[in-house]
Amino acid sequence: MSVKKNEKVSNNKNAKKDEDLSEEDLELQKRLTEYLEKLREGDVAAQKASLDGILYEIRSATASMTSVPKPLKFLRPEFESLKEIYDSPSLDASNRARLADIISVLATTREDPDLVALKFRLLGSTEGMIALGHDYIHQLSGEVVSETQRRRLAEPDANIDDLLQLVREIVPYFMSHTAEPEAVDLLLELDYLEILPPHVDKNSWDRTCLYLTSCSSYLPPSDGDAALRTAHRIYQNAKRSNDAMRVALRIGDRTLIEKTFTDCTDMIEKKQLCYLLARHSVSLDFQDMPFPISPAADLEDESAIEALAEEQRSALAAANSNTLLTKHFHNLARDLDVMDPKSPDDVYKLNSSGEFRGRDSESSRMVLASSFVNGFVNLGFGRDKLILPEGLKGDDGGSVGSGMEGNRWFNKHRDMGKMSAVACLGLICLWDVEGGMAHIDKYLYNLDKDIVAGALLALGVLNSNVRHENDPAYALLVDRVAVSQPLESRIAACLGLGLSYAGSARQEILDLLHPLLRDPTWSVGAAAALALGMVFVGEPNELIVSSILGILVEPSAADMVKPVLKQYCLGLGLLFLGKREAVEPVLEVVRPCVSDSISKFVELVLESCANAGTGDVLVIQRLLSVCGEGSETAKAEKGSAAGGGGGVGGSETLSGGASSSSSSSSSSSSSSSSLASSASSASSPPPPPSSSSASAPAATTNVNKPPPASSSPSSASAPSVSSSASSSSSSSSSADAAAAAAAAAAATFHRTAAILGISLVAGGETLGIQMASRLLEHLLRYGDVTVRRTVPLAYALLYTSNPEISIIDLLTRLTHEPDFTVARAAVLALGIVGAGTNNARLANFLRGLCAPGSDSARDGSDRLTFVARVALGLIHIGKGLVTLSPFHTDNQLMSRVAMTGLLVILLCSDEILTTAAGSQHYLLTSLALAARPRMLLTVDEQGEPIPVTVRVGQGVDVAAQAGRPRAVTGTQTHSTPVLLAHGERAELATPQYTSVSPILEGVVILTKNPDYVE
């Protein structure tokens, strides 16, 4: 009964469906039924007519987005019978191919895992596929990919020529029907991108290249490089030189960059390319470069032609060397009326009574903080109120000096503080080589060696990212690295050369600094290594790599103090910045040859630098696994806390600041012994491998072994009194615990590189930044003290000059941590995150942090106050007209030189006590490499400013979106020059001018629109 009931219900449904069909549908169904009946007959002519009729009905059918075409809907129940007809011997070859086409189309309406549509497509005819519709082509392309993967999995060298023939038909269809992303995806899956450029026309090149460049970040290295090179080829074919240069810079191929520039034949476009190359710190040699002469010039005299070519070379060299940057920056400042110099008191915000709201301290550390704040806030303006002498005239003819000579201000500092204070003069005169030299030159002949060293470093800062034709930096610094010079001058000269010629890969610098890598004083060798890393950033010079590796593989490298070791490692890592696979041979050498105590750190620095800005998820996973490794750090902390210590590595905390005098004296004795042994080893030359192998184990043992009890002050003075004996025992156990904690911290300090590496790899890409932020939040919550001390710096690298509210709130909470090392890192991170934004919320918070009664006031050494004031100066750097972000050109390009400046601070200054707020505070001047105006300045062909109306708003990612959506939203109208915040874009508001550059950022050349009518 049930079977009959079901049959009855089914018949009722079919009858109801037939009643719902219109007369037109019934007629179509009847025709298709007749075609099928004729197919079953043996007449070849009738079969051909029936197949042609079915194909005509399918091709002419129209389908909505929610329904299947009526012919396919009526033929779907006959799918199996059509396959039986195909297998019958009554069909000839031509009719069998036509029937295969019909079965292939009909298979797209079914869920079939056997790729039936592709199978019968390959068996069908070789024409007419395009007329079957977009849905069929889309389904077919997916099955082509699946079949290719299946064949290659079974046999890597499998023949797929039959599939590629289909692809050659599918790609033109996609490209002509605004389905460029689908065509790119198909070719990427098949590694067949080389056929794409011929099918791109003027209507599709922009969408195609935008998708290629956008998806390259999510592809494996080889596929991503292929996608970028395909986009470059398309841009070149379309005569889009600026877009092609942007892709070439992203690839990082020097030969491709020079070829792209040479292939450009328009002089105005060449000049715009020079501005882009200057922003990316890439210098070109224009001496032997040919220059096309316009036919309109009508020059017959060869001397006149050569004179015109020389004039063109000079104009391009000026744009490429950044010698015009000061002029453009001051034009922006005048337009915004911020040319008047500011003093640190203006930043600190004096109240009505003339008293600073924070701590009123005249300690040397606070004076040094004022020097840095003064240098940062007046960066690039060439005038200030503290250092430059009285009588410097402004634009209005009035004096802008304060009456205090530079020497009087410098003499308020102590020792290396004078070096940093004079070096800040380079920040004030940044980019203005000729004007700055007049102020710095007189300090080169001062009797104070620290002031001379500061002047040498100021020379390097002054010439950062500028290539002057007279090359003054090399001429003045070349003799200062000699052994006969004072130690401070040698270090400053090495760093000055690195800052002056960062990214230039000059052979003269290599010849000069390479012998210093094995200098008897390790600090000089480390400065030389760091300088060579700056100069050859992204250029793996074999001589430098082998020399630094030779030093690190020696057993004596384990005796280096941390700042020295990190500078050697960073110098090595910078050589491979962004080079990805090129670092693999070096990693193979590092793993087995370098001492276990430093091999992990070296390996992580190399891997992180090599994948900088790539967003490689696999690399991030490896770095994250290192951050989560189990260690004995927590046990060491507990032991140190039980013995009265102040935390791992001797850092002070709010709760542990009142430890007993005996434990503190013992701890200081232990740390001083360790520092003394490190200093003695640093002052001696690294022994050669043959002579050091025997003494290395003993040296390593002495470094890691806790000091003997006899060296403790308590035990040395212990008589037979029982209380003294008890004190001696307690002090000895405290020293042992502190030494164990320090040893545990030394064994895990490589995780600093892993945490910063996560931000370094993930930066520059929106999804990568969001992912890395969540990872850092988990590390902050569950990580040990070593991890927590580095996470704020990782946030700074991830959100440089991008003060998002959630990140500000998180770092603000961390400034109140009991561990002052975490608090100082968070304060420095706040300064870098808000750098150049004049963020009022951040500035007010940092001013309050320096006020009496705050956490910084309970830091007896005033180090937190020092960092807070420096961070305050960073927020107002360049009076809010400058950014430190290494990403530019709509965040598509990462400047390796700018990233170098940030890494020097964050990697070499993660332990704030010993670097940024200690003896190596002069490293803060390396931020000059990252400082650039965050402006849009429009100029004419001669380089003169043109005020035009632009719309500025938040940028929107329009890759693979349908139609022509706007790339800017929430716009406001301004007149150039204007400031651009992080993530903002600009577009011309009127068609009066056309932009030579497709991206309005930095210096942009405008040309008059000949079709414009007012």
Side-chain angles (χ1 to χ4, degrees):
M1 293 292 295
S2 61
V3 175
K4 292 182 178 180
K5 184 176 180 180
N6 291 336
E7 291 179 355
K8 185 176 181 180
V9 171
S10 178
N11 293 333
N12 291 336
K13 289 182 179 181
N14 293 333
K16 187 175 182 180
K17 288 182 180 180
D18 291 340
E19 292 176 359
D20 293 339
L21 295 177
S22 63
E23 294 183 1
E24 184 179 354
D25 293 341
L26 289 173
E27 181 65 25
L28 174 61
Q29 188 178 33
K30 180 180 178 181
R31 289 199 303 272
L32 292 175
T33 303
E34 293 176 353
Y35 291 149
L36 292 177
E37 291 177 354
K38 293 181 179 179
L39 273 179
R40 296 184 177 91
E41 301 176 358
D43 187 9
V44 175
Q47 290 174 344
K48 182 179 182 303
S50 300
L51 292 172
D52 291 341
I54 295 176
L55 286 173
Y56 173 79
E57 297 292 349
I58 293 175
R59 291 169 181 170
S60 60
T62 57
S64 66
M65 296 295 293
T66 57
S67 63
V68 179
K70 292 296 180 64
L72 298 181
K73 181 178 180 181
F74 295 147
L75 289 174
R76 185 163 49 184
E78 305 295 335
F79 182 76
E80 295 298 332
S81 62
L82 288 174
K83 291 174 64 176
E84 294 177 358
I85 297 175
Y86 178 85
D87 295 331
S88 66
S90 60
L91 292 175
D92 63 357
S94 60
N95 290 339
R96 193 180 303 274
R98 287 188 177 87
L99 182 56
D101 293 342
I102 296 173
I103 297 176
S104 177
V105 178
L106 194 57
T108 60
T109 64
R110 300 165 50 90
E111 295 182 2
D112 200 329
D114 296 331
L115 308 180
V116 176
L118 177 61
K119 173 185 175 182
F120 281 93
R121 179 69 256 172
L122 295 175
L123 297 173
S125 61
T126 59
E127 56 185 20
M129 178 182 69
I130 302 304
L132 297 176
H134 180 83
D135 290 336
Y136 173 69
I137 302 298
H138 178 76
Q139 172 74 15
L140 200 60
S141 64
E143 295 192 4
V144 167
V145 173
S146 300
E147 177 64 15
T148 302
Q149 294 174 347
R150 185 191 66 79
R151 294 186 188 182
R152 288 177 174 173
L153 185 61
E155 183 180 353
D157 297 331
N159 185 6
I160 58 171
D161 291 342
D162 54 342
L163 301 179
L164 295 181
Q165 181 59 37
L166 284 179
V167 171
R168 296 187 190 98
E169 299 180 35
I170 294 174
V171 169
Y173 175 84
F174 280 150
M175 297 301 295
S176 60
H177 288 76
T178 65
E180 297 90 353
E182 296 184 38
V184 172
D185 289 339
L186 175 61
L187 296 176
L188 282 173
E189 292 289 347
L190 301 180
D191 297 331
Y192 203 39
L193 275 175
E194 58 267 19
I195 73 166
L196 181 60
H199 301 291
V200 180
D201 56 19
K202 62 180 181 180
N203 298 320
S204 60
W205 63 263
D206 53 344
R207 287 171 48 86
T208 304
C209 293
L210 177 60
Y211 186 74
L212 281 169
T213 54
S214 299
C215 68
S216 63
S217 302
Y218 307 99
L219 297 173
S222 58
D223 294 343
D225 185 75
L228 290 176
R229 291 185 181 275
T230 302
H232 179 270
R233 181 181 169 189
I234 294 173
Y235 279 136
Q236 285 287 73
N237 294 342
K239 304 299 182 183
R240 303 289 297 187
S241 299
N242 278 274
D243 293 311
M245 180 61 75
R246 188 175 71 249
V247 177
L249 291 172
R250 188 167 175 178
I251 296 172
D253 188 341
R254 177 81 181 190
T255 303
L256 189 63
I257 292 172
E258 294 177 352
K259 182 180 183 302
T260 304
F261 186 86
T262 305
D263 291 344
C264 179
T265 57
D266 186 88
M267 287 305 302
I268 298 178
E269 288 192 11
K270 278 182 176 289
K271 193 171 184 179
Q272 184 66 66
L273 292 181
C274 287
Y275 285 125
L276 175 60
L277 292 172
R279 177 63 182 89
H280 203 66
S281 301
V282 175
S283 299
L284 298 180
D285 185 8
F286 300 98
Q287 292 301 321
D288 300 327
M289 191 174 293
F291 286 87
I293 303 299
S294 173
D298 193 20
L299 298 176
E300 298 180 358
D301 188 2
E302 293 184 1
S303 60
I305 295 176
E306 182 60 29
L308 180 59
E310 185 62 30
E311 180 182 351
Q312 294 174 344
R313 291 190 184 96
S314 300
L316 295 181
N320 183 232
S321 62
N322 269 329
T323 54
L324 301 175
L325 188 57
T326 297
K327 172 186 173 183
H328 296 319
F329 182 63
H330 287 179
N331 285 336
L332 171 68
R334 291 190 190 94
D335 188 81
L336 299 178
D337 195 20
V338 292
M339 282 297 294
D340 293 337
K342 286 188 176 182
S343 68
D345 291 339
D346 297 329
V347 178
Y348 300 155
K349 295 291 185 182
L350 291 171
N351 56 25
S352 58
S353 62
E355 213 173 56
F356 176 53
R357 294 172 183 165
R359 173 179 298 193
D360 186 13
S361 174
E362 289 298 329
S363 66
S364 60
R365 183 175 285 114
M366 294 300 101
V367 174
L368 179 60
S370 295
S371 292
F372 279 118
V373 172
N374 181 63
F376 286 140
V377 73
N378 295 294
L379 182 142
F381 284 86
R383 55 181 70 177
D384 77 318
K385 294 182 178 181
L386 291 180
I387 300 178
L388 296 182
E390 184 180 6
L392 181 65
K393 301 297 182 180
D395 292 338
D396 56 356
S399 174
V400 297
S402 64
M404 179 179 290
E405 293 287 347
N407 280 330
R408 292 178 55 193
W409 175 255
F410 298 146
N411 288 333
K412 287 189 174 185
H413 300 75
R414 294 180 184 175
D415 302 330
M416 301 291 286
K418 296 179 182 178
M419 174 178 171
S420 295
V422 180
C424 290
L425 186 56
L427 293 174
I428 298 172
C429 302
L430 187 65
W431 309 316
D432 185 10
V433 176
E434 296 180 356
M437 286 293 300
H439 300 299
I440 297 174
D441 182 70
K442 57 187 174 184
Y443 297 110
L444 293 173
Y445 310 102
N446 198 287
L447 297 179
D448 192 322
K449 62 180 182 180
D450 293 315
I451 291 181
V452 173
L456 296 175
L457 185 56
L459 281 175
V461 175
L462 175 67
N463 288 272
S464 297
N465 291 312
V466 178
R467 303 290 179 260
H468 197 274
E469 58 181 356
N470 295 329
D471 213 5
Y474 184 81
L476 294 172
L477 296 176
V478 63
D479 296 328
R480 300 288 185 156
V481 299
V483 179
S484 59
Q485 296 291 323
L487 176 63
E488 296 82 358
S489 296
R490 300 182 69 199
I491 295 174
C494 289
L495 293 177
L497 288 169
L499 294 172
S500 298
Y501 301 100
S504 65
R506 284 188 57 169
Q507 183 65 31
E508 297 92 337
I509 308 299
L510 174 60
D511 297 337
L512 179 64
L513 296 182
H514 178 262
L516 300 181
L517 292 176
R518 288 185 174 273
D519 192 84
T521 304
W522 262 334
S523 56
V524 175
L530 185 58
L532 287 174
M534 294 177 180
V535 175
F536 289 87
V537 58
E539 300 288 340
N541 186 279
E542 295 183 3
L543 181 60
I544 304 175
V545 173
S546 60
S547 299
I548 297 180
L549 279 179
I551 295 173
L552 294 177
V553 299
E554 293 175 358
S556 59
D559 299 336
M560 292 181 183
V561 293
K562 279 186 183 179
V564 170
L565 173 64
K566 289 179 179 178
Q567 289 181 28
Y568 270 112
C569 295
L570 181 57
L572 180 62
L574 291 177
L575 300 175
F576 296 94
L577 191 65
K579 303 306 289 186
R580 306 196 81 165
E581 295 93 342
V583 79
E584 291 300 330
V586 181
L587 291 176
E588 296 298 327
V589 176
V590 169
R591 294 185 180 107
C593 298
V594 180
S595 171
D596 291 340
S597 60
I598 63 175
S599 62
K600 290 184 178 180
F601 183 81
V602 178
E603 181 181 347
L604 291 172
V605 170
L606 285 171
E607 188 170 13
S608 300
C609 289
N611 293 279
T614 61
D616 195 320
V617 179
L618 297 179
V619 175
I620 294 176
Q621 288 177 346
R622 288 197 294 271
L623 296 174
L624 186 62
S625 66
V626 174
C627 299
E629 287 177 354
S631 66
E632 297 298 322
T633 306
K635 296 181 181 179
E637 289 177 8
K638 293 180 181 179
S640 177
V648 176
S651 64
E652 65 277 26
T653 61
L654 291 175
S655 59
S659 58
S660 62
S661 60
S662 62
S663 62
S664 62
S665 63
S666 173
S667 176
S668 63
S669 174
S670 172
S671 61
S672 63
S673 301
S674 177
L675 288 176
S677 63
S678 299
S680 63
S681 62
S683 62
S684 60
S690 59
S691 62
S692 62
S693 58
S695 60
T700 305
T701 305
N702 291 336
V703 171
N704 295 330
K705 185 184 297 182
S710 60
S711 65
S712 173
S714 300
S715 60
S717 60
S720 58
V721 182
S722 59
S723 60
S724 299
S726 174
S727 175
S728 175
S729 175
S730 174
S731 177
S732 177
S733 62
S734 175
D736 292 342
T748 59
F749 90 103
H750 64 277
R751 286 189 285 177
T752 299
I755 298 169
L756 289 175
I758 292 176
S759 296
L760 183 59
V761 175
E765 195 274 316
T766 304
L767 295 179
I769 290 176
Q770 295 174 357
M771 175 189 67
S773 298
R774 290 193 293 269
L775 294 178
L776 293 176
E777 186 176 354
H778 289 303
L779 291 175
L780 193 61
R781 180 175 300 178
Y782 303 110
D784 59 14
V785 65
T786 305
V787 173
R788 292 176 62 83
R789 289 174 177 175
T790 313
V791 167
L793 302 176
Y795 275 115
L797 186 58
L798 207 59
Y799 290 92
T800 303
S801 295
N802 180 21
E804 290 195 2
I805 295 178
S806 60
I807 304 302
I808 293 177
D809 292 340
L810 187 147
L811 293 175
T812 301
R813 293 195 300 269
L814 291 180
T815 59
H816 302 291
E817 282 283 313
D819 187 345
F820 275 118
T821 306
V822 178
R824 282 190 287 271
V827 172
L828 181 61
L830 282 174
I832 296 176
V833 168
T837 61
N838 283 345
N839 190 288
R841 178 181 177 184
L842 277 177
N844 291 332
F845 171 76
L846 291 174
R847 293 187 188 107
L849 196 63
C850 300
S854 65
D855 286 348
S856 62
R858 288 181 282 174
D859 182 6
S861 63
D862 275 344
R863 291 190 179 99
L864 186 57
T865 306
F866 172 87
V867 180
R869 291 192 176 186
V870 170
L872 199 57
L874 288 175
I875 290 175
H876 297 283
I877 188 170
K879 301 174 188 175
L881 310 185
V882 172
T883 180
L884 297 182
S885 176
F887 297 95
H888 63 97
T889 314
D890 203 11
N891 287 339
Q892 296 182 26
L893 300 177
M894 183 192 74
S895 172
R896 294 172 179 172
V897 172
M899 183 61 76
T900 298
L902 291 174
L903 289 178
V904 170
I905 296 299
L906 298 176
L907 187 60
C908 294
S909 300
D910 60 328
E911 295 168 340
I912 308 297
L913 280 174
T914 58
T915 53
S919 61
Q920 293 188 356
H921 36 67
Y922 55 82
L923 289 176
L924 284 171
T925 56
S926 63
L927 288 176
L929 293 176
R932 287 299 178 91
R934 58 182 187 95
M935 65 180 181
L936 166 61
L937 178 67
T938 52
V939 298
D940 59 13
E941 293 90 336
Q942 287 73 37
E944 297 300 323
I946 303 178
V948 297
T949 305
V950 294
R951 290 187 292 264
V952 180
Q954 197 67 24
V956 180
D957 185 10
V958 297
Q961 292 189 12
R964 301 286 176 176
R966 292 187 59 183
V968 184
T969 184
T971 59
Q972 294 182 346
T973 303
H974 300 276
S975 179
T976 59
V978 297
L979 294 178
L980 296 179
H982 185 276
E984 287 186 342
R985 294 177 185 168
E987 60 183 13
L988 295 176
T990 63
Q992 182 178 0
Y993 292 94
T994 59
S995 170
V996 177
S997 172
I999 297 178
L1000 300 186
E1001 184 177 323
V1003 181
V1004 178
I1005 300 176
L1006 301 182
T1007 58
K1008 289 187 177 180
N1009 185 1
D1011 299 328
Y1012 175 74
V1013 178
E1014 294 185 3

